[in-house]
Amino acid sequence: MAVRVSRLVAMAAALHAVASMAAAQGYRARVDTRWQTAAYRGVTLDSIPVGDTVSSSGGGPMSPDGFAVLCHSGAAYCTFFRPGPEHRGGPMTAMVDLSVWGFGVTGLSVRMSGRAATDVGSADAWPGTDPAVQLLEGYAEYAIPRATARLGRQIIPSRLGMTGFDGGSLRWRAERRVELQAYGGWGLARGVALPVTSPALNPLDDFQPTQRQLLAGASAGWTSTAVDARVEYQREVDPQAHKFVSERVGFDAAVSPMPNVRLSGGADYDIAAGWWGSAEAALTYLTQKMRGSVGVKRYRPHFDLWTIWGAFSPVPYNSVQASVAVAAMTRLEVRGRYERYRYEEAATETPLFATKRDGWRGELGATVTPLAHWTVDAGYQREYGPGASVSGTAATVTYEPTRRLRAILLASAADRPLEFRFNDAVVRVYGLDAQYMASERLRVSATVQRYQEDHRRPDAGAFDWRQFRAGVRFSFAFGSADEVAGLTLPPAIRMLPGDRSAR
């Protein structure tokens, strides 16, 4: 544990060294540190000779100590699951964001974002702590009114997802209407700021590529008062096999034919796989007292071609949905949402039982401010679909006497009946969260929550699992003398379009 904590200290020391070297320039940094206690317990596979089983009241076989067992015809042993051991962890993370400018070139700046994580508990009970230190973003940026160039590790959000890579990008704007972008480099694994060859991704085993994929992409957008449209293209290639890892194109558009009305939609096509991916369209109506929307959606998961998952031909689902929120009174807002979905034909056979392909989900809620500084929010949700269902309620009471202080009391309960599993569970959570802004540079928060999970089944496997979870968070911002007072943006950022400080 001492070694892991020392890594956090080393990261803080490195940040201080970088800030010291940047003393002659302008710089701004924010350190966000979080720590919490958490625990979990799973199940442990056990077995028992067939001759040692006993009959339950329902006629099925059981172990002598009351666990339902599974006995295959002709097998010498029956198997079952016991409650697993308790694992307690104390995950600690530190996020660091640093921006430096003032290198003698107008518009030139450097930005870095990193994360350090460790588990200071008695066991490695929390995911995401390996590797201990990650560079999320780190690039040099040159920005002028109509163009922005970046070189280094960066993440580009788009319809095709959050694309991370080590390389360069260039964005060009023409009078705030036309925007063109091109980027390329060595790609990162999907959903994480790590190369696909990283040892932290060892569960991929034999399917893990031995070299990083080469990535290239481009996009074009056009914006006017009533129309906003964009097209994007992206491809990834395995440099060793000289084969496509992924190749996709996406389209997005939004039109405002009249005040308060917006029609939006988009779609993406998987060129490498030869099929349409996800798509959606929605009509939104928005006023001061009401916001509502109706829409349709199609979702198909995307997998890189080097993974085995693409061989299963991921089945999309189609849905229709509607939502509305109305300010019924001055201090009361009510909301509702409903969605009906259906999976397309999977072209598989299930001879032992018939499976459902459709489902629905809905939500009702309300927000009320009965007194000054007080806000009460409550909601109920229910979902029933293929394989499982869920229903639950959640409520929060927020007290915010000043801009610097906020306290939140929360409670929730979820019932998870599982259609294909011999186990139902009810999870209840109670907690208190407090946030305090000591100054413009320092924010502190703390939380305490009680988890209660009750398993419902007619044998000894119906164990209950209860625990407390606690956590603290410190967020501290600092910078050069002229930045500390107001924490203003660097000139390179103020030049970007849409920032009112540049006008």
Side-chain angles (χ1 to χ4, degrees):
M1 183 182 75
V3 174
R4 295 174 179 173
V5 174
S6 67
R7 293 176 178 173
L8 296 178
V9 176
M11 185 175 182
L15 174 66
H16 182 269
V18 172
S20 298
M21 290 187 294
Q25 290 78 34
Y27 71 95
R28 186 179 59 172
R30 180 177 294 277
V31 181
D32 191 313
T33 302
R34 305 185 186 192
W35 171 83
Q36 66 171 319
T37 61
Y40 77 93
R41 70 184 306 178
V43 292
T44 300
L45 181 64
D46 202 349
S47 62
I48 184 175
V50 175
D52 293 343
T53 62
V54 297
S55 297
S56 65
S57 58
M62 299 185 68
S63 67
D65 51 353
F67 287 91
V69 300
L70 176 64
C71 302
H72 292 284
S73 178
Y77 287 85
C78 301
T79 58
F80 63 99
F81 288 97
R82 293 184 180 274
E86 179 180 328
H87 296 273
R88 292 192 172 274
M92 176 184 292
T93 61
M95 293 284 296
V96 178
D97 289 281
L98 173 66
S99 297
V100 183
W101 60 94
F103 299 98
V105 179
T106 303
L108 180 62
S109 63
V110 174
R111 182 179 185 275
M112 291 186 292
S113 177
R115 172 182 179 269
T118 187
D119 193 334
V120 297
S122 58
D124 291 332
W126 201 258
T129 56
D130 182 28
V133 179
Q134 293 185 53
L135 176 65
L136 304 181
E137 282 189 300
Y139 57 82
E141 178 182 273
Y142 178 68
I144 58 178
R146 290 197 177 183
T148 301
R150 292 178 176 176
L151 182 63
R153 174 164 294 187
Q154 50 196 294
I155 298 175
I156 294 181
S158 71
R159 174 181 181 83
L160 304 178
M162 303 292 289
T163 302
F165 62 96
D166 295 327
S169 67
L170 177 63
R171 180 181 299 176
W172 180 78
R173 299 168 290 273
E175 298 181 355
R176 301 178 182 271
R177 285 184 178 270
V178 178
E179 180 179 281
L180 303 177
Q181 184 179 33
Y183 55 88
W186 292 269
L188 299 175
R190 198 172 306 279
V192 63
L194 292 172
V196 72
T197 56
S198 170
L201 303 180
N202 273 342
L204 299 175
D205 292 327
D206 295 337
F207 300 103
Q208 187 175 13
T210 58
Q211 294 184 20
R212 298 176 62 179
Q213 68 273 23
L214 298 177
L215 178 143
S219 65
W222 186 73
T223 304
S224 67
T225 305
V227 180
D228 187 355
R230 178 173 293 273
V231 59
E232 304 172 25
Y233 171 81
Q234 186 181 109
R235 68 190 300 181
E236 297 176 73
V237 177
D238 185 335
Q240 184 178 28
H242 301 289
K243 301 290 185 180
F244 279 110
V245 171
S246 172
E247 186 179 23
R248 293 186 292 164
V249 62
F251 313 90
D252 277 299
V255 181
S256 300
M258 60 184 68
N260 306 326
V261 177
R262 180 180 176 88
L263 178 62
S264 60
D268 56 77
Y269 183 75
D270 193 327
I271 301 175
W275 58 48
W276 285 97
S278 300
E280 71 282 329
L283 178 64
T284 304
Y285 179 73
L286 178 63
T287 65
Q288 290 184 346
K289 292 189 175 182
M290 174 184 174
R291 61 181 182 274
S293 69
V294 293
V296 294
K297 178 182 179 181
R298 181 180 192 267
Y299 174 75
R300 183 200 291 263
H302 169 75
F303 301 106
D304 293 335
L305 294 184
W306 63 262
T307 69
I308 194 175
W309 302 110
F312 293 94
S313 299
V315 178
Y317 73 81
N318 304 297
S319 70
V320 293
Q321 53 190 336
S323 64
V324 63
V326 179
M329 296 184 294
T330 303
R331 296 179 177 269
L332 173 64
E333 180 185 88
V334 293
R335 62 185 182 274
R337 182 179 180 275
Y338 180 79
E339 180 180 7
R340 187 86 184 183
Y341 60 91
R342 181 179 179 84
Y343 284 89
E344 295 183 6
E345 181 60 54
T348 58
E349 296 183 2
T350 54
L352 300 181
F353 58 90
T355 59
K356 287 177 59 65
R357 290 195 291 138
D358 61 330
W360 59 270
R361 57 175 68 97
E363 179 182 357
L364 293 173
T367 302
V368 60
T369 54
L371 300 171
H373 312 305
W374 290 86
T375 302
V376 180
D377 184 270
Y380 171 78
Q381 65 174 355
R382 186 174 179 84
E383 177 177 353
Y384 184 82
S389 65
V390 63
S391 62
T393 57
T396 61
V397 178
T398 303
Y399 176 60
E400 192 170 5
T402 67
R403 185 176 65 90
R404 295 179 177 272
L405 179 63
R406 176 188 298 174
I408 303 174
L409 183 66
L410 58 92
S412 66
D415 189 1
R416 305 187 296 114
L418 306 176
E419 183 178 323
F420 298 148
R421 299 168 179 83
F422 187 55
N423 191 4
D424 293 346
V426 178
V427 182
R428 297 180 178 88
V429 182
Y430 313 93
L432 176 64
D433 184 84
Q435 304 171 19
Y436 177 64
M437 187 170 66
S439 66
E440 295 293 335
R441 295 188 292 172
L442 177 62
R443 300 185 182 187
V444 182
S445 63
T447 182
V448 177
Q449 295 181 352
R450 172 69 170 175
Y451 282 74
Q452 295 182 191
E453 183 178 54
D454 301 324
H455 290 238
R456 297 173 178 174
R457 51 183 289 172
D459 71 332
F463 63 93
D464 298 335
W465 176 231
R466 293 172 169 82
Q467 63 172 295
F468 277 103
R469 290 190 178 184
V472 293
R473 174 186 177 185
F474 297 92
S475 182
F476 180 64
F478 58 95
S480 52
D482 58 339
E483 292 294 316
V484 172
L487 292 178
T488 58
L489 295 175
I493 302 301
R494 293 199 297 269
M495 286 183 178
L496 297 179
D499 192 329
R500 296 179 181 176
S501 64
R503 301 175 185 173

